[in-house]
Amino acid sequence: MDGPHDLGGRHGFGSINPEYDEPVFHADWERSVLTMFPAMAGAGAFNLDKFRFGMEQIPAVEYLSSTYYEHWMHAMIQWGTEAGIFDPEDLERRTQHYLDHPDEAAPKAANADLTEALKQLLPTGMDCRRESDAEPRFSVGDRVRVLDHVSTTHTRRAGYVRGRVGEVVAAHGTYVYPDSNAVGLGEDPHHLYTVRFTARELWGDEPGARNAVNNIDLWEPYLEAT
Amino acid sequence: MSLHHDHSTISADDRIAARVKAMEAILVEKGIIGTDAIDYMSSVYENEVGPQLGAKIVARAWVDPDFRQRLLVDATEACKEMGVSGMQGEEMIALEDTDTVHNMVVCTLCSCYPWPVLGLPPNWYKYPAYRARTARDPRGVMAEFGLELPESVEIRVWDSSAELRYWVLPQRPAGTEGWSEEQLAELVTRDSLIGVAGVASPKAA
């Protein structure tokens, strides 16, 4: 979808302003939200692609003015509500309770099964490569154009490469296809490629992109031969 | 004075903290999360998995040409040799900087980042300015971090749009001949693995 998240090449965001000696967490609640990701994914509320699709549905003004972990909270509440984990009225009532009692902590309880699962998950992760018999349509060196029709749901076909011509520089094999996996259509593996565009093809003669190339990973259904 | 707080005096941070407590309370009651799990996961990324791991790998690649070769062919396997692997880095690709090529990593669509070698991303990496500008104005972004490269150096921007995680193998700085791996690792920064900085020569420091 053409949401506020699709930021590559947009003007108007000002300087980067890195924070010197930035801490890993800026508030205690960020620790909880981080852990809610594997916990709620494990409970079946979302997969990685559906989670991203949730964040992309944040209204644009809110998306651009809220923090990373607030984006996570939005997707967690959206999909947690859909999965029957959260009831919006109950969540609102409890939020008001903690606003009225700011010194009260959330209830503490151990979850040995989740902790054990995390000890397995964090050092290994969740591989998204899937074996498939499908023959790749493209190979390294091929010129390809990114299809420029618009998706109204989740896609990794970034706006700045749509309609542009690049060269396949790596063919990676078959991976979970986010466009399907985000909307309940299964993993639907497709071939994944790294495609290289000259900055001139994308941005013309802008001085910040002199002698530059842009590489981006694109799934086969995004591409056509030129 | 009202028993309820006046909404206008409640900061946005207070609101978020209260909402997270409410979410956490429900998830605890339903057996979906636990305090021990939160403590475990946050402590892994606060104390164990961070840029010091990426620095160790870069230093090894600088002193061991065979390891460097394995890293450039298959970074995932080479990192495993050093006990480095995991979530948001299930498959990693190391990008080699040379005298004529400089690499930079971004995720324009969200905030994908190689957690096993760098830990959790800094805020600036996740916010709109970096994500928007790096694709289009990489030289301008680098300049803001203090890195200005001649136009003869090709800038390669890598947008992490799939589940492959890219990071930069920076060039070993001059003036470090004979240094140990441990000494070299001390020089390597998070920003040099993202590609917004080089590794400074100790002479210049």
Side-chain angles (χ1 to χ4, degrees):
Chain A
M1 56 185 282
D2 278 342
H5 67 285
D6 189 359
L7 285 163
R10 301 289 179 90
H11 282 152
F13 290 105
S15 52
I16 313 291
N17 294 326
E19 180 183 343
Y20 176 73
D21 209 12
E22 184 176 336
V24 174
F25 299 106
H26 292 71
D28 258 341
W29 61 263
E30 293 186 350
R31 299 169 205 272
S32 296
V33 176
L34 172 72
T35 313
M36 285 176 197
F37 176 78
M40 292 186 69
F46 44 71
N47 58 47
L48 182 59
D49 299 305
K50 185 171 176 174
F51 186 72
R52 290 186 181 131
F53 183 35
M55 294 194 285
E56 291 162 6
Q57 294 172 61
I58 300 170
V61 171
E62 188 186 332
Y63 183 95
L64 294 172
S65 56
S66 56
T67 67
Y68 175 68
Y69 287 113
E70 287 175 84
H71 295 175
W72 282 32
M73 290 167 65
H74 180 102
M76 287 165 175
I77 292 170
Q78 178 175 346
W79 301 132
T81 300
E82 184 192 72
I85 295 168
F86 295 131
D87 167 59
E89 280 179 27
D90 177 43
L91 188 63
E92 201 47 50
R93 186 182 57 74
R94 291 179 192 244
T95 302
Q96 190 57 50
H97 172 83
Y98 287 114
L99 279 171
D100 293 340
H101 304 87
D103 296 329
E104 189 181 323
K108 295 198 182 304
N111 187 325
D113 288 348
L114 176 62
T115 304
E116 200 46 48
L118 291 177
K119 286 180 181 173
Q120 306 291 322
L121 176 70
L122 301 190
T124 53
M126 295 171 285
D127 198 5
C128 293
R129 180 189 283 274
R130 297 289 182 273
E131 295 313 316
S132 157
D133 295 334
E135 289 293 319
R137 281 179 56 208
F138 305 111
S139 45
V140 171
D142 285 355
R143 304 276 295 165
V144 290
R145 183 189 310 276
V146 182
L147 295 167
D148 61 4
H149 61 75
V150 177
S151 160
T152 57
T153 53
H154 180 67
T155 185
R156 303 297 276 181
R157 192 161 43 115
Y160 71 93
V161 294
R162 290 203 314 239
R164 305 306 175 104
V165 174
E167 178 185 342
V168 174
V169 293
H172 298 289
T174 45
Y175 287 79
V176 173
Y177 185 47
D179 303 50
S180 295
N181 199 38
V183 293
L185 296 177
E187 295 189 332
D188 189 21
H190 283 285
H191 280 277
L192 179 72
Y193 306 91
T194 302
V195 182
R196 177 168 296 175
F197 301 85
T198 62
R200 184 172 290 274
E201 163 78 4
L202 300 178
W203 318 115
D205 198 27
E206 292 186 13
R210 293 256 166 83
N211 193 16
V213 296
N214 291 73
N215 303 276
I216 182 170
D217 293 333
L218 299 168
W219 277 263
E220 196 168 87
Y222 302 165
L223 303 172
E224 64 181 358
T226 60
Chain B
M1 190 177 163
S2 154
L3 284 174
H4 288 273
H5 292 265
D6 177 351
H7 282 203
S8 65
T9 66
I10 298 172
S11 76
D13 281 348
D14 290 342
R15 282 185 184 287
I16 298 164
R19 181 154 294 252
V20 174
K21 283 182 197 172
M23 293 166 72
E24 189 174 327
I26 293 165
L27 294 173
V28 163
E29 283 169 23
K30 294 192 180 243
I32 292 172
I33 206 166
T35 320
D36 52 343
I38 295 168
D39 291 344
Y40 170 72
M41 185 162 179
S42 54
S43 114
V44 164
Y45 290 105
E46 202 155 35
N47 303 315
E48 295 172 32
V49 177
Q52 75 282 1
L53 297 182
K56 257 176 49 181
I57 290 165
V58 167
R60 171 70 55 89
W62 284 346
V63 300
D64 180 343
D66 292 339
F67 178 78
R68 180 190 189 90
Q69 194 53 36
R70 292 199 296 281
L71 183 71
L72 293 172
V73 169
D74 186 341
T76 318
E77 284 305 311
C79 288
K80 275 185 195 161
E81 288 177 32
M82 297 188 66
V84 173
S85 65
M87 197 152 88
Q88 284 300 307
E90 290 85 352
E91 286 190 54
M92 296 188 283
I93 294 173
L95 308 164
E96 182 182 34
D97 278 355
T98 66
D99 289 342
T100 55
V101 171
H102 178 84
N103 295 282
M104 267 178 102
V105 178
V106 65
C107 173
T108 66
L109 293 169
C110 47
S111 305
C112 298
Y113 190 72
W115 290 16
V117 290
L118 287 178
L120 301 175
N123 276 346
W124 58 262
Y125 183 88
K126 301 179 281 193
Y127 287 169
Y130 183 77
R131 288 165 51 192
R133 287 179 53 204
T134 300
R136 182 166 187 165
D137 180 24
R139 290 181 186 273
V141 169
M142 283 190 301
E144 276 191 39
F145 283 85
L147 180 61
E148 303 209 31
L149 295 173
E151 214 175 291
S152 57
V153 175
E154 181 183 89
I155 310 299
R156 293 185 185 163
V157 178
W158 300 80
D159 189 349
S160 312
S161 51
E163 298 311 318
L164 310 174
R165 292 290 167 268
Y166 296 94
W167 54 271
V168 179
L169 174 57
Q171 287 190 282
R172 179 172 176 167
T176 58
E177 294 74 16
W179 283 39
S180 71
E181 244 180 275
E182 290 71 25
Q183 287 175 302
L184 289 167
E186 291 287 325
L187 295 176
V188 181
T189 61
R190 172 196 71 198
D191 290 359
S192 69
L193 272 78
I194 299 173
V196 293
V199 178
S201 167
K203 284 180 192 158

